[in-house]
Amino acid sequence: MARRNPVRLVIALSIAAVLAAFLVYTSFAGGATPSVQPSQLSAHDGRVTLGGKVVGPVTGEAHGSGLRFTLRDVKGTKTVPVVYTGSVPDLFKVGREVMLKGEVEQGVFVAEKDSLVTKCPSKYSPSKNA
């Protein structure tokens, strides 16, 4: 019986380990978009996920020139104007918490198309009877 060289196995396992580490890194850190609220927005350049509470009025057309509204910190007073195009969830309204992806352009948060997601407080909050 011929003995196989264990060097090939060690090299193959080393390459596999490096690739696995790279995949784990990119899935957690490399491809992440920072999540911020309006008060934290000025500290970030480029694309972010912006979360906050919708304050009125809501104007414009989501499938036209853009839906325009203001987003405020969930537990604060800092606000930012938002322009959004795309589909609007049924639960979207003034007072609702939302998340959008996009970036600031000339003082206005321009959201990526179809990135608006609403939070449903009744589903995750304790009932009033509790």
Side-chain angles (χ1 to χ4, degrees), residues 107-121:
V108 176
F109 187 80
V110 179
E112 293 178 4
K113 184 175 183 176
D114 296 326
S115 67
L116 178 63
V117 178
T118 59
K119 289 187 172 184
C120 180

Side-chain angles (χ1 to χ4, degrees), residues 43-104:
H44 294 274
D45 289 331
R47 185 172 179 249
V48 297
T49 299
L50 180 66
K53 191 172 279 195
V54 177
V55 293
V58 177
T59 61
E61 176 59 42
H63 295 288
S65 62
L67 194 64
R68 297 176 186 280
F69 56 93
T70 302
L71 207 60
R72 178 180 51 85
D73 281 2
V74 174
K75 294 183 179 180
T77 58
K78 181 73 174 171
T79 62
V80 64
V82 176
V83 175
Y84 170 78
T85 57
S87 60
V88 178
D90 291 337
L91 296 176
F92 177 81
K93 66 178 183 175
V94 172
R96 187 67 44 129
E97 289 183 42
V98 299
M99 306 268 309
L100 312 109
K101 289 182 182 174
E103 59 187 296
V104 176

